[in-house]
Amino acid sequence: MTTKNFASQLLILLTLVFLISCEGDQGPAGPEGPTGSMGADGAPGADGTDGADRGNGYLILTGNITNEEASEIIATETGSNTHTILVRNTTNLTSLTFEGLENVVYVEINNNENLEQLSFPNLKNSYESISISTNAKLTEVDLSQLEEGFRISISDHELLNTLDLSSLKNMTRAIEIYRNDVLQVVSIPELISSSGISIYDNDNLESISASKLVTANGRLSVFNNINLSTLELSSLENTRELSVFGENKMEVIDFPKLNNITGNVSIRNTVTLKTVRLPLYTGSENIRLEIENNTLLTEVSTGALTKIDRLNIDNNPILVTIPTLSSLTGEISAFTITENPSIQQIDMSKITTISTCIIRENESLSSISFSGLGTIGNRLDIRFNTMLSSIDLSSLVSLGAGVSNPTFRFADNALTGLSMPNLQSFKDLNVTEDALATFNLAAATTFEDIRVDSAVQLTTVNVSSATDFLNIDMDTPGGIATAAIDNIISSLVAKNPPITGTKVTLRGVASTQAETDAQTLRDNGNDITFRN
């Protein structure tokens, strides 16, 4: 129906209604008046909203579609209803622009062999995932207006050199950027929070910057970016895990506001890194700190850190000191320091409990202080520290309590004396120290086996409290002084009730009294042997 016909019919209808409403008794008909002129047509009404303008839910582009065909489809089939975009395996597309989209749920742009430019110039929100990968000729990705995202993954591009995430503020899940061969800069200047960030295997990446980032609730991982020299995360306060490893060109890792890490910190396999500064929060009790295989690392500072679950410092050739150790308190599950040839001292005097302690092959290490340590759980292994002459274990009471097969070894250090004067119980203890001359376990009452070997003579041995044990083996190459043998045997024979079922082997010359006491012990069911 035309607008003109509609207006004419409406005028006739209104006239009839008026005439009917005013009709009284019918009078004589009057003369016919002249015909009036037709009124002007009314203005046309506004067009209604066309449902098709809101677009289809899904948009799929694939095969040999051209730029022109793609532009036409995007213009006619996308709109506010569009939530999923799939562009896969195209052969002719070189440029894609999605002008009208402000919100999407899922985007996948993968395996498009000639695609060079990709732009979402108005996109503000992504609610599930944006995945852009394996587009061989892609050089530019424009997500410049994106503010809120769920997950972004950009990977496996040989030519990508421009990535614009300049408005991104918050990510529900992770940002992943990896294996983009020529990408030099990753800058996310407005980012405040993200569940995680993983940036790795980008061969020409030189700079990563997210200077407003405060929180990364998941893993913050940067590794194997061989030309990376700048990591700018100066506002970072909270993360669950921090991992920086593999070859890069960074000399300093410094997160001045980082005060809360709830999981692991791993700095490893670097070749240029010299300084690590992590002012960690005092109460981060579940941290596992790994500092491993860093060729030029000289300084590790963790500020106020006092609690830690695991600490592993391994193969850092020129690392001299670790100041944070002296601040650690309480309990540690595992403590390992191995193959650090420049470390000279270990001070962990405030630690009270360690489950596993391994200190090995630290060539310059001269002293260890565990002066507050009361309990070691299942392993104590201190070996091959060729300059180690002093260990303070003066508060140690228990080794391996309740553990079926604990291991406790001292070997090939430079110890001249080993004293654990308050140690009361353990299972097995093995000591092989060429320079060892004094050995003190004055409080040890309960154990299974003690084995001591030294290349020099043991002049002082104190096991005076031993009552419940199976074996004392000191058939040591350097032998034992006669006075020391006398002290061992006299303390054993004096036990009341008499001990029985034990074996004692000592190398050295026993006095006449020691021979007599040894026979008494044999008569009570003990195996006592002197070797010359």
Side-chain angles (χ1 to χ4, degrees):
M1 180 183 296
T2 67
T3 303
K4 183 175 181 180
N5 289 340
F6 176 80
S8 298
Q9 292 187 17
L10 179 59
L11 181 61
I12 293 169
L13 179 61
L14 291 174
T15 302
L16 288 173
V17 170
F18 176 77
L19 291 174
I20 291 171
S21 65
C22 297
E23 186 178 9
D25 295 334
Q26 185 173 2
E32 183 176 354
T35 302
S37 61
M38 182 176 290
D41 289 344
D47 289 341
T49 301
D50 187 347
D53 290 345
R54 293 196 294 265
N56 297 326
Y58 288 83
L59 177 68
I60 300 175
L61 304 178
T62 191
N64 61 359
I65 189 170
T66 66
N67 289 349
E68 293 75 17
E69 291 168 339
S71 295
E72 171 101 11
I73 292 171
I74 291 170
T76 59
E77 296 188 17
T78 63
S80 59
N81 282 345
T82 304
H83 53 75
T84 299
I85 295 173
L86 304 176
V87 184
R88 299 171 176 162
N89 305 314
T90 66
T91 56
N92 293 324
L93 273 181
T94 62
S95 180
L96 267 180
T97 300
F98 294 87
E99 289 274 3
L101 292 180
E102 293 188 3
N103 304 283
V104 293
V105 174
Y106 185 87
V107 174
E108 184 179 316
I109 314 289
N110 293 342
N111 296 300
N112 301 285
E113 63 182 67
N114 287 300
L115 183 63
E116 298 175 6
Q117 294 180 316
L118 176 63
S119 179
F120 290 84
N122 299 301
L123 184 64
K124 295 184 180 299
N125 300 287
S126 170
Y127 299 109
E128 186 171 316
S129 178
I130 295 177
S131 175
I132 302 169
S133 73
T134 322
N135 303 287
K137 295 184 179 180
L138 186 65
T139 63
E140 181 179 346
V141 174
D142 177 8
L143 292 167
S144 57
Q145 300 305 307
L146 184 67
E147 296 180 359
E148 306 281 337
F150 187 81
R151 176 180 177 270
I152 294 176
S153 179
I154 299 172
S155 70
D156 296 288
H157 298 104
E158 297 175 8
L159 301 176
L160 180 65
N161 56 45
T162 303
L163 172 59
D164 193 337
L165 294 168
S166 54
S167 297
L168 187 61
K169 293 182 173 67
N170 298 293
M171 288 293 297
T172 305
R173 291 286 180 88
I175 300 171
E176 298 174 345
I177 301 172
Y178 58 97
R179 293 196 294 268
N180 301 288
D181 294 346
V182 300
L183 186 65
Q184 294 184 327
V185 176
V186 172
S187 178
I188 318 176
E190 299 301 319
L191 186 65
I192 297 172
S193 68
S194 177
S195 178
I197 298 176
S198 293
I199 302 175
Y200 59 93
D201 291 339
N202 302 286
D203 288 349
N204 282 285
L205 185 62
E206 297 177 359
S207 174
I208 298 171
S209 177
S211 58
K212 293 183 180 179
L213 180 67
V214 174
T215 299
N217 289 322
R219 173 179 291 181
L220 177 57
S221 184
V222 178
F223 61 93
N224 293 342
N225 303 290
I226 61 176
N227 282 292
L228 183 67
S229 59
T230 301
L231 180 59
E232 163 58 287
L233 297 170
S234 56
S235 297
L236 185 66
E237 296 180 7
N238 309 287
T239 189
R240 181 171 62 86
E241 293 189 14
L242 173 63
S243 182
V244 180
F245 62 90
E247 186 177 351
N248 58 62
K249 292 185 177 179
M250 289 189 293
E251 294 189 4
V252 177
I253 292 176
D254 187 4
F255 298 150
K257 295 185 179 180
L258 185 61
N259 59 23
N260 187 19
I261 295 180
T262 57
N264 297 345
V265 178
S266 180
I267 311 293
R268 52 193 171 90
N269 300 332
T270 69
V271 294
T272 57
L273 186 65
K274 297 178 180 179
T275 302
V276 175
R277 299 190 189 103
L278 304 172
L280 303 182
Y281 174 58
T282 303
S284 300
E285 297 186 9
N286 296 317
I287 291 176
R288 177 176 181 171
L289 178 59
E290 298 176 337
I291 310 291
E292 302 176 359
N293 303 315
N294 300 289
T295 306
L296 297 180
L297 185 64
T298 60
E299 178 187 350
V300 177
S301 174
T302 53
L305 180 66
T306 60
K307 301 288 186 180
I308 197 167
D309 182 55
R310 294 172 176 262
L311 177 63
N312 187 20
I313 300 174
D314 176 59
N315 194 23
N316 304 284
I318 62 175
L319 181 63
V320 176
T321 61
I322 312 166
T324 189
L325 297 184
S326 61
S327 300
L328 295 175
T329 63
E331 182 175 351
I332 295 181
S333 295
F335 173 69
T336 302
I337 295 185
T338 58
E339 298 184 77
N340 302 283
S342 300
I343 288 180
Q344 298 177 9
Q345 295 181 328
I346 294 174
D347 180 2
M348 299 187 69
S349 54
K350 296 178 183 178
I351 292 295
T352 59
T353 303
I354 297 178
S355 179
T356 296
C357 178
I358 301 172
I359 303 174
R360 289 195 313 222
E361 299 180 71
N362 304 287
E363 297 171 11
S364 299
L365 182 63
S366 62
S367 68
I368 299 172
S369 177
F370 284 118
S371 58
L373 183 63
T375 302
I376 297 177
N378 59 17
R379 187 175 184 185
L380 175 64
D381 187 346
I382 301 178
R383 292 185 289 162
F384 310 116
N385 306 287
T386 55
M387 294 185 67
L388 179 61
S389 59
S390 173
I391 299 178
D392 186 346
L393 291 165
S394 56
S395 297
L396 188 63
V397 174
S398 175
L399 288 173
V403 178
S404 58
N405 291 298
T407 300
F408 304 106
R409 298 187 68 182
F410 297 84
D412 298 300
N413 304 292
L415 295 175
T416 59
L418 181 60
S419 179
M420 294 177 276
N422 291 297
L423 180 61
Q424 297 174 10
S425 62
F426 54 94
K427 186 177 181 183
D428 299 332
L429 177 62
N430 287 276
V431 181
T432 304
E433 294 287 346
D434 284 350
L436 193 71
T438 65
F439 182 73
N440 179 17
L441 293 182
T445 60
T446 305
F447 53 90
E448 289 189 10
D449 186 72
I450 293 176
R451 296 177 184 270
V452 178
D453 282 317
S454 175
V456 302
Q457 188 181 65
L458 285 169
T459 58
T460 303
V461 177
N462 189 343
V463 287
S464 57
S465 296
T467 54
D468 183 6
F469 67 94
L470 295 180
N471 183 46
I472 296 175
D473 185 346
M474 294 187 183
D475 187 7
T476 171
I480 307 172
T482 299
I485 292 176
D486 287 352
N487 287 336
I488 296 169
I489 297 300
S490 64
S491 66
L492 295 177
V493 80
K495 296 295 186 274
N496 188 16
I499 62 171
T500 187
T502 70
K503 182 177 181 179
V504 179
T505 304
L506 307 175
R507 180 175 291 275
V509 177
S511 68
T512 302
Q513 184 60 52
E515 292 281 10
T516 301
D517 291 341
Q519 188 56 51
T520 302
L521 289 168
R522 294 185 190 105
D523 293 342
N524 289 331
N526 301 284
D527 183 353
I528 309 297
T529 302
F530 299 124
R531 298 187 188 279
N532 294 321

